[in-house]
Amino acid sequence: MATTPTTAAGTAALTGATPKARHAAALPRHVAAAGRRADSVRCSAVSPAAPTPAPPATPLRPWGPSEPRKGADILVESLERCGVSDLFAYPGGASMEIHQALTRSPTITNHLFRHEQGEAFAASGYARASGRVGVCVATSGPGATNLVSALADALLDSVPMVAITGQVPRRMIGTDAFQETPIVEVTRSITKHNYLVLDVDDIPRVVQEAFFLASSGRPGPVLVDIPKDIQQQMAVPIWDTPMSLPGYIARLPKPPATELLEQVLRLVGESRRPVLYVGGGCAASGEELRRFVELTGIPVTTTLMGLGNFPSDDPLSLRMLGMHGTVYANYAVDKADLLLAFGVRFDDRVTGKIEAFASRSKIVHIDIDPAEIGKNKQPHVSICADVKLALQGMNALLQGSTPKKTFDFGSWHNELDQQKKEFPLGYKTFDEEIQPQYAIQVLDELTKGEAIIATGVGQHQMWAAQYYTYKRPRQWLSSAGLGAMGFGLPAAAGAAVANPGVTVVDIDGDGSFLMNIQELAMIRIENLPVKVLVLNNQHLGMVVQWEDRFYKANRAHTYLGNPENENEIYPDFVTIAKGFNIPAVRVTKKSDVHAAIKKMLETPGPYLLDVIVPHQEHVLPMIPSGGAFKDMILDGDGRTVY
């Protein structure tokens, strides 16, 4: 599983690290300057701060600063020094020492989820909702492999995470020992970086580097694998060991050049139909983005990851673009003469047929990851820099210019307003049948658009993106790039941990919800204010929609209910929730929805509302995969034969 000494030495030469803690570098894209969001670095040797004073000896930690303690205790103290107050860990044989050390920590709380995938998605939800690094811990073998989906999800969505795994003792590595998995190799291509720690003295430096890598540049997940004998070994920690990442630090993007920012503003001044295309890379620069829009008057559309980075109820908001984006957002991009792409990666679900996307536009692409520039769509002007710094620089140029720069896009605004009037988001109603869009609109109304929203993946995810109002960054949590079902409930719980007292709603589908339903236990035990709104259509809804549209409605294992009795709701989420001692109600009539959601929100602690919706409903608009704006579908559902 581990690299040979020759390979380890070679890796050390590349990174500047000692061979003791063998680094498993990811693909070049991920090792390159990393980070759409420039969140504050908690552990950094680039800007030395006053060292954290050693904590006083306590009955749980009777050792003094210069006395030996177990490697697991050094690990936990390293996490404390990086500002960790909450983490998500599930114990096992190879991680027991870490859990024992956690019980001796005066500042770190472990939130015990019931599955390693759940804890890892919770760490992701925690990071997405707070901007801080999410931390999860798992044992070796199956515990470590259960983290894989969440690590891949965090890499694709640029989420800062540190995953710590126990490993079999060093002497057993490579022997196919009980619960041995080469997790460094398994996760090499789905982490930004990873480590196998082979020397207890490396723990403080490795943890510091892991947090710096996860949160700097384009954020992403970092895995640290620690053999059990290293956890048990006694040592005196050396806290002032500097980080050794000269190559990585040298490649971090520099502040954007003023000449390039001036060039962008000249293009804005020359344009008549500009559009801002904003993604998850703007999560840390919402204030600067709003100011830029105030100064320029440019309409804004966001990706699925970008929801909330610009208020969706602002008059200049075009809401989401792409496969299930609004007609007017896709119209604007199709007709634009200038596309300002900030913190985006031109994903296929946004662009569709790449040659037809923004084909009339000059394109300006600003992104912190050089690998994204020109990867899918060649820009006319590219700036590899932190979007926040670029926006600050352009705002300063606009505010300091003499005479003041003014832009008149009034006719463009009028054209787009007309599109909003002609093609609003909408849906058909059928008496007392509950349309899923209606349930989300009621939730939006009753929460005033202030709740943190998490989702699973599928139709409900798209409806939540379309029909809820997102007013601020980090309000929307969803597995966008990977599309991992089962994300919603644990991510909502992680967000609730990061934002004590704030109402968090998991808008879920019955298929996604069932994948991590066991985490009802955690939200009940901790009494978190997590509300679960299940849009239950007894089907794998998005796949059913594609079956209806492209496979003549042939059902290929997409019915999730009981085929022997299709009139009953199966499984019974209300009964299951009550087994976890969580209040739960089922609603089947539209006239009952408002009161039911109101009661859900008013009930302290966790709550489950099972909303029965028709499986024939389709997410619209829809641009078929590989299609263009001209191919957009605006009507129809599963009640129609295609």
Side-chain angles (χ1 to χ4, degrees):
M1 112 171 224
T3 52
T4 63
T6 304
T7 305
T11 305
L14 289 171
T15 61
T18 61
K20 291 180 179 178
R22 301 178 193 174
H23 296 232
L27 298 175
R29 168 197 164 191
H30 307 126
V31 176
R36 293 182 185 274
R37 296 191 294 272
D39 296 315
S40 59
V41 176
R42 291 184 167 270
C43 288
S44 172
V46 180
S47 305
T52 306
T58 67
L60 290 176
R61 288 177 171 172
W63 52 80
S66 60
E67 294 177 329
R69 74 288 313 264
K70 286 185 175 182
D73 287 293
I74 296 173
L75 170 67
V76 171
E77 289 183 60
S78 298
L79 294 175
E80 292 171 0
R81 287 168 178 260
C82 283
V84 175
S85 57
D86 299 276
L87 54 70
F88 309 91
Y90 196 87
S95 63
M96 284 179 62
E97 291 287 353
I98 299 172
H99 283 264
Q100 290 295 313
L102 284 169
T103 67
R104 295 188 280 273
S105 172
T107 59
I108 296 179
T109 300
N110 178 39
H111 303 274
L112 183 63
F113 283 71
R114 277 22 180 203
H115 193 289
E116 290 92 354
Q117 186 183 93
E119 72 169 49
F121 280 147
S124 179
Y126 178 96
R128 291 168 189 257
S130 67
R132 302 189 293 272
V133 176
V135 182
C136 58
V137 182
T139 191
S140 63
T145 56
N146 279 340
L147 303 179
V148 165
S149 291
L151 292 173
D153 169 74
L155 184 70
L156 282 169
D157 287 354
S158 304
V159 178
M161 278 177 58
V162 171
I164 298 167
T165 51
Q167 184 54 276
V168 299
R170 285 173 295 179
R171 67 184 182 280
M172 294 183 182
I173 292 176
T175 67
D176 295 333
F178 176 67
Q179 290 193 335
E180 180 193 357
T181 305
I183 198 62
V184 163
E185 274 65 38
V186 169
T187 62
R188 189 185 301 274
S189 62
I190 56 168
T191 52
K192 187 176 171 182
H193 201 62
N194 53 26
Y195 296 87
L196 172 62
V197 179
L198 297 178
D199 190 314
V200 68
D201 292 335
D202 286 337
I203 291 176
R205 175 183 59 80
V206 166
V207 171
Q208 185 184 21
E209 289 180 6
F211 274 76
F212 178 69
L213 288 165
S215 57
S216 62
R218 178 178 183 173
V222 177
L223 181 132
V224 180
D225 196 30
I226 309 178
K228 188 168 183 178
D229 59 324
I230 295 289
Q231 299 172 35
Q232 294 171 326
Q233 188 174 341
M234 302 295 287
V236 177
I238 303 171
W239 299 116
D240 57 357
T241 304
M243 291 193 302
S244 186
L245 298 169
Y248 173 81
I249 291 170
R251 291 193 299 272
L252 286 173
K254 307 299 185 288
T258 302
E259 305 80 56
L260 286 173
L261 300 181
E262 289 174 339
Q263 184 180 358
V264 174
L265 294 179
R266 279 197 300 273
L267 289 174
V268 172
E270 294 167 2
S271 69
R272 294 295 175 264
R273 303 155 78 90
V275 173
L276 269 160
Y277 156 40
V278 170
C282 292
S285 50
E287 184 179 338
E288 290 81 5
L289 176 64
R290 289 192 299 273
R291 182 59 181 152
F292 183 72
V293 174
E294 287 174 8
L295 292 168
T296 61
I298 300 175
V300 182
T301 182
T302 68
T303 65
L304 186 66
M305 279 294 295
L307 290 174
N309 293 344
F310 186 78
S312 55
D313 58 352
D314 189 282
L316 287 176
S317 171
L318 302 171
R319 302 186 72 98
M320 186 175 72
L321 83 163
M323 177 177 282
H324 293 296
T326 62
V327 172
Y328 40 90
N330 286 298
Y331 172 92
V333 172
D334 188 62
K335 303 300 182 186
D337 61 6
L338 177 65
L339 186 69
L340 301 176
F342 292 176
V344 297
R345 56 189 183 90
F346 292 88
D347 175 73
D348 62 287
R349 289 298 171 105
V350 166
T351 65
K353 185 178 181 180
I354 193 72
E355 300 84 7
F357 181 77
S359 58
R360 300 172 175 85
S361 288
K362 291 181 179 178
I363 296 175
V364 174
H365 193 182
I366 303 179
D367 199 281
I368 202 165
D369 185 353
E372 293 296 348
I373 305 291
K375 184 179 79 174
N376 294 327
K377 189 80 173 176
Q378 194 63 41
H380 297 78
V381 176
S382 63
I383 301 176
C384 184
D386 184 342
V387 174
K388 188 183 186 79
L389 296 180
L391 284 167
Q392 287 174 344
M394 287 188 289
N395 290 344
L397 289 171
L398 289 168
Q399 291 167 321
S401 62
T402 307
K404 293 283 185 183
K405 289 187 178 181
T406 58
F407 306 96
D408 181 11
F409 303 125
S411 60
W412 180 225
H413 293 165
N414 293 336
E415 185 177 341
L416 295 179
D417 287 342
Q418 186 60 34
Q419 288 290 312
K420 289 181 180 181
K421 291 174 184 176
E422 288 185 27
F423 300 101
L425 288 171
Y427 53 92
K428 296 177 182 177
T429 58
F430 300 88
D431 299 323
E432 278 288 87
E433 198 172 62
I434 303 171
Q435 299 308 109
Q437 303 95 320
Y438 172 73
I440 294 169
Q441 284 179 319
V442 172
L443 177 70
D444 183 42
E445 174 194 335
L446 292 175
T447 59
K448 297 181 174 60
E450 295 295 337
I452 293 174
I453 303 295
T455 73
V457 170
Q459 286 181 314
H460 69 274
Q461 176 191 29
M462 295 297 103
W463 285 318
Q466 291 176 333
Y467 287 93
Y468 196 87
T469 303
Y470 300 96
K471 300 179 179 179
R472 63 185 187 277
R474 308 198 185 284
Q475 187 183 358
W476 161 259
L477 319 174
S478 196
S479 177
L482 190 66
M485 293 174 65
F487 177 87
L489 178 59
V497 169
N499 298 272
V502 176
T503 296
V504 183
V505 182
D506 169 30
I507 300 175
D508 228 327
D510 48 309
S512 274
F513 177 57
L514 194 57
M515 286 197 173
N516 271 314
I517 196 171
Q518 75 283 343
E519 304 312 344
L520 290 174
M522 181 272 176
I523 64 173
R524 172 72 283 170
I525 295 302
E526 297 205 8
N527 198 36
L528 296 178
V530 173
K531 317 299 181 181
V532 183
L533 181 69
V534 181
L535 300 178
N536 188 346
N537 64 8
Q538 296 283 282
H539 287 73
L540 202 55
M542 187 60 85
V543 185
V544 165
Q545 177 170 333
W546 282 54
E547 287 176 338
D548 288 341
R549 295 281 177 174
F550 311 119
Y551 294 89
K552 299 180 180 178
N554 181 46
R555 295 288 175 259
H557 320 119
T558 48
Y559 176 61
L560 301 180
N562 179 5
E564 294 183 358
N565 185 1
E566 295 189 11
N567 292 322
E568 73 169 345
I569 302 301
Y570 181 87
D572 187 345
F573 290 135
V574 173
T575 299
I576 292 171
K578 289 179 178 177
F580 286 96
N581 196 25
I582 289 177
V585 169
R586 176 176 298 142
V587 59
T588 60
K589 294 181 180 179
K590 182 178 179 180
S591 56
D592 296 333
V593 168
H594 191 280
I597 293 179
K598 187 171 185 289
K599 182 180 179 183
M600 175 185 76
L601 295 170
E602 291 175 348
T603 303
Y607 194 99
L608 185 143
L609 183 61
D610 190 20
V611 182
I612 308 304
V613 300
H615 72 272
Q616 296 95 340
E617 195 64 25
H618 286 185
V619 181
L620 297 172
M622 178 183 182
I623 298 176
S625 181
F629 174 66
K630 66 180 178 60
D631 304 312
M632 180 174 279
I633 299 169
L634 298 178
D635 55 16
D637 56 28
R639 303 170 183 88
T640 307
V641 177
Y642 298 96

